[in-house]
Amino acid sequence: MSTMTNEHPQLGLFRSMLRIRMIEEAIADRYAEQEMRCPVHLSIGQEAAVVGACSALRKTDKVVTTHRCHGHYLAKGGDLRRMMAEIYGRDAGCCGGRGGSMHLFDDDAGIAVSQPIVGSSIPVGVGIALAFQQAQKNDVAMICLGDAATEEGVFHESLNFAALKKLPAVFFVENNYFSVYTHLSDRQPVRPISNMALGHGMASAQVDGNDVLAVQEAVTAAVTRARAGEGPSLIVADTYRFREHCGPLFDDDLGYRSPEEVDHWKQREPLERFRQDLRSRNIIDAAFEEALTATIQAEIQDAFDFAINAPAPSPASLGEYIYAQSA
Ligand SMILES: Cc1ncc(C[n+]2csc(CCOP(=O)(O)OP(=O)(O)O)c2C)c(N)n1
């Protein structure tokens, strides 16, 4: 298998998807220890969308994202140790231990901001795209959001402004069909979400978000348009989250989605699907997977050890980084 020594380009996608899956499963496994004192929104099941989209970017491009941000942070090259330290509330965390899982950023890697107020990071991403345009940089801002954020007024204002100014922005929606427990069909009229771009004269596409290559292709086309000065695009990737909305467990017992629906998506589980595809094309084999899994496992162990052993922020720093400090 010479492709493995020469590193087939699709191996990077697989590695990134598997790494995100394993990191999030490790977070889920250890959450009950009650040492991670922040909510976690896992993207298990959404890795193809996350990795496909981020793989279309280069380092100097910027990503803004949401409460469900672990995958974007990792796929864009964010530092794992600093992420875990943040989730453990440590001083060495990427937000000094003050933000937790929903506030990951790594400016060096191009993760500009993660914000849990639904829709709030969208105009920040538009502002970054405007700054790129004004500075005549050839970089792109990718604005990651969930389907529910398309119901916020600021989403529509942002699309309008970005289209008007032909900004180098890609609006990337991971449509996992739920706003917490409410299905898309109870919140929006039946039509592709990507049709929202039509009213703004914006290019758009809706793709199978569990097919990493399809996502990569659609986002690459959008990024190419943005770099060429042809303006923004709206890309919608249809996908599914397998864990509970917030937390390490499963919430299917609440009855907000049927076992048949969950099973339908399990058949399209993105990591296994890509694994089988790569296996059938002889790009990976069992030995490769075993070695890769061991490498990632060691990296995860290192990051957890780092986080657990790192000091908490000092009490004296409590007043730092807040809006108004007392005299
Ligand atoms: C403005 C605002 N309203 C409500 C909430 C509570 N809330 C947190 S996550 C969420 C659902 C978000 O759904 P979506 O944007 O599709 O992302 P997903 O959680 O599915 O990844 C809601 C309503 C919030 N954080 N911000």
Side-chain angles (χ1 to χ4, degrees), residues 41 46 66-68 116-119 145-150 152 174 176 178-180 187 241 245:
H41 298 77
Q46 302 185 201
T66 69
H67 51 286
R68 206 173 301 284
I117 303 301
V118 173
L145 56 144
D147 45 286
T150 67
E152 296 288 341
E174 273 159 65
N176 65 15
F178 286 94
S179 174
V180 190
R187 302 170 2 238
R241 102 179 120 67
H245 163 72

PDB file of all heavy atoms in Angstrom, residues 41 46 66-68 116-119 145-150 152 174 176 178-180 187 241 245, ligand 1:
ATOM      1  N   HIS A  41     -21.064  20.433  24.534  1.00  0.00           N
ATOM      2  CA  HIS A  41     -21.954  20.146  23.398  1.00  0.00           C
ATOM      3  C   HIS A  41     -21.125  19.349  22.396  1.00  0.00           C
ATOM      4  O   HIS A  41     -20.292  19.920  21.680  1.00  0.00           O
ATOM      5  CB  HIS A  41     -22.443  21.437  22.760  1.00  0.00           C
ATOM      6  CG  HIS A  41     -23.260  22.297  23.694  1.00  0.00           C
ATOM      7  ND1 HIS A  41     -22.684  23.067  24.677  1.00  0.00           N
ATOM      8  CD2 HIS A  41     -24.597  22.486  23.794  1.00  0.00           C
ATOM      9  CE1 HIS A  41     -23.643  23.708  25.335  1.00  0.00           C
ATOM     10  NE2 HIS A  41     -24.810  23.379  24.819  1.00  0.00           N
ATOM     11  N   GLN A  46     -21.228  14.489  13.642  1.00  0.00           N
ATOM     12  CA  GLN A  46     -21.163  15.615  12.718  1.00  0.00           C
ATOM     13  C   GLN A  46     -19.739  15.826  12.169  1.00  0.00           C
ATOM     14  O   GLN A  46     -19.435  16.857  11.570  1.00  0.00           O
ATOM     15  CB  GLN A  46     -21.662  16.897  13.405  1.00  0.00           C
ATOM     16  CG  GLN A  46     -23.087  16.766  13.919  1.00  0.00           C
ATOM     17  CD  GLN A  46     -23.703  18.034  14.506  1.00  0.00           C
ATOM     18  OE1 GLN A  46     -24.643  17.950  15.267  1.00  0.00           O
ATOM     19  NE2 GLN A  46     -23.186  19.211  14.174  1.00  0.00           N
ATOM     20  N   THR A  66     -19.686  28.242  17.304  1.00  0.00           N
ATOM     21  CA  THR A  66     -20.788  28.292  18.263  1.00  0.00           C
ATOM     22  C   THR A  66     -20.447  27.524  19.551  1.00  0.00           C
ATOM     23  O   THR A  66     -19.293  27.165  19.782  1.00  0.00           O
ATOM     24  CB  THR A  66     -22.026  27.621  17.642  1.00  0.00           C
ATOM     25  OG1 THR A  66     -21.763  26.202  17.531  1.00  0.00           O
ATOM     26  CG2 THR A  66     -22.330  28.163  16.255  1.00  0.00           C
ATOM     27  N   HIS A  67     -21.510  27.216  20.298  1.00  0.00           N
ATOM     28  CA  HIS A  67     -21.356  26.361  21.485  1.00  0.00           C
ATOM     29  C   HIS A  67     -20.841  24.970  21.110  1.00  0.00           C
ATOM     30  O   HIS A  67     -20.162  24.328  21.888  1.00  0.00           O
ATOM     31  CB  HIS A  67     -22.706  26.231  22.201  1.00  0.00           C
ATOM     32  CG  HIS A  67     -23.830  25.820  21.285  1.00  0.00           C
ATOM     33  ND1 HIS A  67     -24.388  26.680  20.370  1.00  0.00           N
ATOM     34  CD2 HIS A  67     -24.458  24.634  21.120  1.00  0.00           C
ATOM     35  CE1 HIS A  67     -25.332  26.044  19.687  1.00  0.00           C
ATOM     36  NE2 HIS A  67     -25.387  24.795  20.110  1.00  0.00           N
ATOM     37  N   ARG A  68     -21.164  24.491  19.895  1.00  0.00           N
ATOM     38  CA  ARG A  68     -20.731  23.144  19.480  1.00  0.00           C
ATOM     39  C   ARG A  68     -19.441  23.303  18.669  1.00  0.00           C
ATOM     40  O   ARG A  68     -19.424  23.121  17.459  1.00  0.00           O
ATOM     41  CB  ARG A  68     -21.836  22.462  18.658  1.00  0.00           C
ATOM     42  CG  ARG A  68     -21.788  20.946  18.713  1.00  0.00           C
ATOM     43  CD  ARG A  68     -23.004  20.308  18.036  1.00  0.00           C
ATOM     44  NE  ARG A  68     -24.270  20.692  18.614  1.00  0.00           N
ATOM     45  CZ  ARG A  68     -24.764  20.236  19.777  1.00  0.00           C
ATOM     46  NH1 ARG A  68     -24.094  19.348  20.464  1.00  0.00           N
ATOM     47  NH2 ARG A  68     -25.927  20.675  20.245  1.00  0.00           N
ATOM     48  N   PRO A 116     -21.651  30.959  22.528  1.00  0.00           N
ATOM     49  CA  PRO A 116     -22.852  30.133  22.680  1.00  0.00           C
ATOM     50  C   PRO A 116     -24.171  30.860  22.511  1.00  0.00           C
ATOM     51  O   PRO A 116     -25.211  30.202  22.478  1.00  0.00           O
ATOM     52  CB  PRO A 116     -22.700  29.598  24.106  1.00  0.00           C
ATOM     53  CG  PRO A 116     -21.935  30.649  24.820  1.00  0.00           C
ATOM     54  CD  PRO A 116     -21.031  31.298  23.818  1.00  0.00           C
ATOM     55  N   ILE A 117     -24.176  32.182  22.458  1.00  0.00           N
ATOM     56  CA  ILE A 117     -25.444  32.879  22.209  1.00  0.00           C
ATOM     57  C   ILE A 117     -25.772  32.665  20.737  1.00  0.00           C
ATOM     58  O   ILE A 117     -25.029  33.114  19.856  1.00  0.00           O
ATOM     59  CB  ILE A 117     -25.327  34.385  22.548  1.00  0.00           C
ATOM     60  CG1 ILE A 117     -24.879  34.589  23.997  1.00  0.00           C
ATOM     61  CG2 ILE A 117     -26.662  35.085  22.276  1.00  0.00           C
ATOM     62  CD1 ILE A 117     -25.781  33.993  25.050  1.00  0.00           C
ATOM     63  N   VAL A 118     -26.871  31.965  20.486  1.00  0.00           N
ATOM     64  CA  VAL A 118     -27.158  31.512  19.123  1.00  0.00           C
ATOM     65  C   VAL A 118     -27.209  32.706  18.156  1.00  0.00           C
ATOM     66  O   VAL A 118     -27.950  33.666  18.388  1.00  0.00           O
ATOM     67  CB  VAL A 118     -28.483  30.714  19.090  1.00  0.00           C
ATOM     68  CG1 VAL A 118     -28.883  30.389  17.654  1.00  0.00           C
ATOM     69  CG2 VAL A 118     -28.340  29.432  19.908  1.00  0.00           C
ATOM     70  N   GLY A 119     -26.417  32.632  17.128  1.00  0.00           N
ATOM     71  CA  GLY A 119     -26.378  33.679  16.099  1.00  0.00           C
ATOM     72  C   GLY A 119     -25.350  34.761  16.353  1.00  0.00           C
ATOM     73  O   GLY A 119     -25.018  35.534  15.450  1.00  0.00           O
ATOM     74  N   LEU A 145     -22.411  27.729  11.829  1.00  0.00           N
ATOM     75  CA  LEU A 145     -23.615  27.895  12.631  1.00  0.00           C
ATOM     76  C   LEU A 145     -24.476  26.646  12.529  1.00  0.00           C
ATOM     77  O   LEU A 145     -24.276  25.814  11.644  1.00  0.00           O
ATOM     78  CB  LEU A 145     -24.402  29.149  12.206  1.00  0.00           C
ATOM     79  CG  LEU A 145     -24.822  29.280  10.739  1.00  0.00           C
ATOM     80  CD1 LEU A 145     -26.182  29.945  10.658  1.00  0.00           C
ATOM     81  CD2 LEU A 145     -23.813  30.123   9.965  1.00  0.00           C
ATOM     82  N   GLY A 146     -25.438  26.553  13.459  1.00  0.00           N
ATOM     83  CA  GLY A 146     -26.395  25.460  13.401  1.00  0.00           C
ATOM     84  C   GLY A 146     -27.655  25.896  12.679  1.00  0.00           C
ATOM     85  O   GLY A 146     -27.850  27.100  12.429  1.00  0.00           O
ATOM     86  N   ASP A 147     -28.535  24.956  12.378  1.00  0.00           N
ATOM     87  CA  ASP A 147     -29.756  25.298  11.637  1.00  0.00           C
ATOM     88  C   ASP A 147     -30.622  26.315  12.393  1.00  0.00           C
ATOM     89  O   ASP A 147     -31.258  27.171  11.778  1.00  0.00           O
ATOM     90  CB  ASP A 147     -30.568  24.044  11.305  1.00  0.00           C
ATOM     91  CG  ASP A 147     -30.700  23.090  12.486  1.00  0.00           C
ATOM     92  OD1 ASP A 147     -29.707  22.419  12.809  1.00  0.00           O
ATOM     93  OD2 ASP A 147     -31.789  23.035  13.077  1.00  0.00           O
ATOM     94  N   ALA A 148     -30.636  26.234  13.735  1.00  0.00           N
ATOM     95  CA  ALA A 148     -31.487  27.163  14.491  1.00  0.00           C
ATOM     96  C   ALA A 148     -31.024  28.605  14.351  1.00  0.00           C
ATOM     97  O   ALA A 148     -31.843  29.532  14.419  1.00  0.00           O
ATOM     98  CB  ALA A 148     -31.523  26.771  15.965  1.00  0.00           C
ATOM     99  N   ALA A 149     -29.744  28.807  14.130  1.00  0.00           N
ATOM    100  CA  ALA A 149     -29.236  30.178  14.008  1.00  0.00           C
ATOM    101  C   ALA A 149     -29.750  30.856  12.743  1.00  0.00           C
ATOM    102  O   ALA A 149     -29.753  32.094  12.663  1.00  0.00           O
ATOM    103  CB  ALA A 149     -27.709  30.178  14.034  1.00  0.00           C
ATOM    104  N   THR A 150     -30.215  30.054  11.772  1.00  0.00           N
ATOM    105  CA  THR A 150     -30.768  30.679  10.551  1.00  0.00           C
ATOM    106  C   THR A 150     -32.122  31.333  10.838  1.00  0.00           C
ATOM    107  O   THR A 150     -32.676  31.994   9.974  1.00  0.00           O
ATOM    108  CB  THR A 150     -30.936  29.655   9.405  1.00  0.00           C
ATOM    109  OG1 THR A 150     -31.957  28.701   9.761  1.00  0.00           O
ATOM    110  CG2 THR A 150     -29.639  28.929   9.101  1.00  0.00           C
ATOM    111  N   GLU A 152     -32.482  33.410  13.406  1.00  0.00           N
ATOM    112  CA  GLU A 152     -32.179  34.660  14.103  1.00  0.00           C
ATOM    113  C   GLU A 152     -32.121  35.801  13.083  1.00  0.00           C
ATOM    114  O   GLU A 152     -31.587  35.636  11.970  1.00  0.00           O
ATOM    115  CB  GLU A 152     -30.825  34.565  14.821  1.00  0.00           C
ATOM    116  CG  GLU A 152     -30.784  33.525  15.930  1.00  0.00           C
ATOM    117  CD  GLU A 152     -31.575  33.927  17.170  1.00  0.00           C
ATOM    118  OE1 GLU A 152     -31.861  35.135  17.340  1.00  0.00           O
ATOM    119  OE2 GLU A 152     -31.919  33.046  17.968  1.00  0.00           O
ATOM    120  N   GLU A 174     -24.347  23.618   9.799  1.00  0.00           N
ATOM    121  CA  GLU A 174     -24.511  22.190  10.084  1.00  0.00           C
ATOM    122  C   GLU A 174     -25.957  21.981  10.484  1.00  0.00           C
ATOM    123  O   GLU A 174     -26.369  22.339  11.590  1.00  0.00           O
ATOM    124  CB  GLU A 174     -23.572  21.771  11.222  1.00  0.00           C
ATOM    125  CG  GLU A 174     -22.199  21.388  10.723  1.00  0.00           C
ATOM    126  CD  GLU A 174     -21.171  21.484  11.820  1.00  0.00           C
ATOM    127  OE1 GLU A 174     -21.251  20.729  12.799  1.00  0.00           O
ATOM    128  OE2 GLU A 174     -20.280  22.354  11.708  1.00  0.00           O
ATOM    129  N   ASN A 176     -28.365  19.830  11.785  1.00  0.00           N
ATOM    130  CA  ASN A 176     -28.598  18.546  12.476  1.00  0.00           C
ATOM    131  C   ASN A 176     -30.073  18.393  12.839  1.00  0.00           C
ATOM    132  O   ASN A 176     -30.433  17.529  13.627  1.00  0.00           O
ATOM    133  CB  ASN A 176     -27.680  18.381  13.699  1.00  0.00           C
ATOM    134  CG  ASN A 176     -27.975  19.394  14.791  1.00  0.00           C
ATOM    135  OD1 ASN A 176     -29.009  20.051  14.798  1.00  0.00           O
ATOM    136  ND2 ASN A 176     -27.055  19.527  15.735  1.00  0.00           N
ATOM    137  N   PHE A 178     -32.160  19.819  14.683  1.00  0.00           N
ATOM    138  CA  PHE A 178     -32.757  20.127  15.984  1.00  0.00           C
ATOM    139  C   PHE A 178     -32.228  21.427  16.575  1.00  0.00           C
ATOM    140  O   PHE A 178     -31.031  21.720  16.493  1.00  0.00           O
ATOM    141  CB  PHE A 178     -32.515  18.986  16.989  1.00  0.00           C
ATOM    142  CG  PHE A 178     -33.393  17.801  16.690  1.00  0.00           C
ATOM    143  CD1 PHE A 178     -32.919  16.759  15.908  1.00  0.00           C
ATOM    144  CD2 PHE A 178     -34.710  17.771  17.136  1.00  0.00           C
ATOM    145  CE1 PHE A 178     -33.735  15.687  15.591  1.00  0.00           C
ATOM    146  CE2 PHE A 178     -35.533  16.701  16.821  1.00  0.00           C
ATOM    147  CZ  PHE A 178     -35.047  15.651  16.043  1.00  0.00           C
ATOM    148  N   SER A 179     -33.165  22.170  17.164  1.00  0.00           N
ATOM    149  CA  SER A 179     -32.810  23.242  18.073  1.00  0.00           C
ATOM    150  C   SER A 179     -33.161  22.687  19.449  1.00  0.00           C
ATOM    151  O   SER A 179     -34.332  22.663  19.845  1.00  0.00           O
ATOM    152  CB  SER A 179     -33.625  24.499  17.765  1.00  0.00           C
ATOM    153  OG  SER A 179     -33.362  25.486  18.735  1.00  0.00           O
ATOM    154  N   VAL A 180     -32.178  22.163  20.128  1.00  0.00           N
ATOM    155  CA  VAL A 180     -32.358  21.408  21.369  1.00  0.00           C
ATOM    156  C   VAL A 180     -33.291  20.221  21.071  1.00  0.00           C
ATOM    157  O   VAL A 180     -32.836  19.239  20.487  1.00  0.00           O
ATOM    158  CB  VAL A 180     -32.837  22.281  22.551  1.00  0.00           C
ATOM    159  CG1 VAL A 180     -32.765  21.489  23.857  1.00  0.00           C
ATOM    160  CG2 VAL A 180     -31.955  23.539  22.676  1.00  0.00           C
ATOM    161  N   ARG A 187     -40.264  24.350  13.044  1.00  0.00           N
ATOM    162  CA  ARG A 187     -39.713  25.704  13.183  1.00  0.00           C
ATOM    163  C   ARG A 187     -39.641  26.467  11.872  1.00  0.00           C
ATOM    164  O   ARG A 187     -39.607  27.694  11.856  1.00  0.00           O
ATOM    165  CB  ARG A 187     -38.295  25.642  13.799  1.00  0.00           C
ATOM    166  CG  ARG A 187     -38.256  24.972  15.124  1.00  0.00           C
ATOM    167  CD  ARG A 187     -36.858  24.681  15.664  1.00  0.00           C
ATOM    168  NE  ARG A 187     -35.786  25.116  14.854  1.00  0.00           N
ATOM    169  CZ  ARG A 187     -34.824  24.324  14.354  1.00  0.00           C
ATOM    170  NH1 ARG A 187     -34.822  23.026  14.622  1.00  0.00           N
ATOM    171  NH2 ARG A 187     -33.872  24.803  13.606  1.00  0.00           N
ATOM    172  N   ARG A 241     -26.778  14.812  15.141  1.00  0.00           N
ATOM    173  CA  ARG A 241     -25.975  14.619  16.355  1.00  0.00           C
ATOM    174  C   ARG A 241     -26.488  13.377  17.061  1.00  0.00           C
ATOM    175  O   ARG A 241     -27.693  13.181  17.185  1.00  0.00           O
ATOM    176  CB  ARG A 241     -26.050  15.872  17.234  1.00  0.00           C
ATOM    177  CG  ARG A 241     -26.942  15.829  18.400  1.00  0.00           C
ATOM    178  CD  ARG A 241     -26.980  17.069  19.251  1.00  0.00           C
ATOM    179  NE  ARG A 241     -28.288  17.669  19.340  1.00  0.00           N
ATOM    180  CZ  ARG A 241     -29.329  17.121  19.935  1.00  0.00           C
ATOM    181  NH1 ARG A 241     -29.222  15.949  20.521  1.00  0.00           N
ATOM    182  NH2 ARG A 241     -30.498  17.730  19.966  1.00  0.00           N
ATOM    183  N   HIS A 245     -28.287  16.920  23.384  1.00  0.00           N
ATOM    184  CA  HIS A 245     -27.978  18.284  22.936  1.00  0.00           C
ATOM    185  C   HIS A 245     -26.796  18.853  23.713  1.00  0.00           C
ATOM    186  O   HIS A 245     -25.879  19.430  23.141  1.00  0.00           O
ATOM    187  CB  HIS A 245     -29.207  19.194  23.118  1.00  0.00           C
ATOM    188  CG  HIS A 245     -28.864  20.651  23.076  1.00  0.00           C
ATOM    189  ND1 HIS A 245     -28.504  21.295  21.910  1.00  0.00           N
ATOM    190  CD2 HIS A 245     -28.765  21.584  24.071  1.00  0.00           C
ATOM    191  CE1 HIS A 245     -28.221  22.562  22.187  1.00  0.00           C
ATOM    192  NE2 HIS A 245     -28.362  22.760  23.485  1.00  0.00           N
TER     193      HIS A 245
HETATM  194  C1  LIG B   1     -30.100  33.673  21.481  1.00  0.00           C
HETATM  195  C2  LIG B   1     -30.199  32.326  22.151  1.00  0.00           C
HETATM  196  N1  LIG B   1     -31.397  31.744  22.299  1.00  0.00           N
HETATM  197  C3  LIG B   1     -31.497  30.532  22.891  1.00  0.00           C
HETATM  198  C4  LIG B   1     -30.373  29.891  23.343  1.00  0.00           C
HETATM  199  C5  LIG B   1     -30.476  28.507  23.993  1.00  0.00           C
HETATM  200  N2  LIG B   1     -29.924  27.521  23.053  1.00  0.00           N
HETATM  201  C6  LIG B   1     -28.695  27.024  23.230  1.00  0.00           C
HETATM  202  S1  LIG B   1     -28.252  25.987  21.995  1.00  0.00           S
HETATM  203  C7  LIG B   1     -29.744  26.144  21.253  1.00  0.00           C
HETATM  204  C8  LIG B   1     -30.063  25.392  19.989  1.00  0.00           C
HETATM  205  C9  LIG B   1     -29.147  25.760  18.909  1.00  0.00           C
HETATM  206  O1  LIG B   1     -29.445  24.975  17.781  1.00  0.00           O
HETATM  207  P1  LIG B   1     -28.513  25.101  16.513  1.00  0.00           P
HETATM  208  O2  LIG B   1     -28.163  26.535  16.269  1.00  0.00           O
HETATM  209  O3  LIG B   1     -29.184  24.390  15.403  1.00  0.00           O
HETATM  210  O4  LIG B   1     -27.174  24.365  16.948  1.00  0.00           O
HETATM  211  P2  LIG B   1     -26.974  22.895  17.542  1.00  0.00           P
HETATM  212  O5  LIG B   1     -27.126  22.992  19.017  1.00  0.00           O
HETATM  213  O6  LIG B   1     -27.988  22.003  16.922  1.00  0.00           O
HETATM  214  O7  LIG B   1     -25.583  22.544  17.150  1.00  0.00           O
HETATM  215  C10 LIG B   1     -30.553  27.029  21.944  1.00  0.00           C
HETATM  216  C11 LIG B   1     -31.939  27.396  21.533  1.00  0.00           C
HETATM  217  C12 LIG B   1     -29.129  30.544  23.198  1.00  0.00           C
HETATM  218  N3  LIG B   1     -27.983  29.992  23.587  1.00  0.00           N
HETATM  219  N4  LIG B   1     -29.073  31.755  22.575  1.00  0.00           N
END
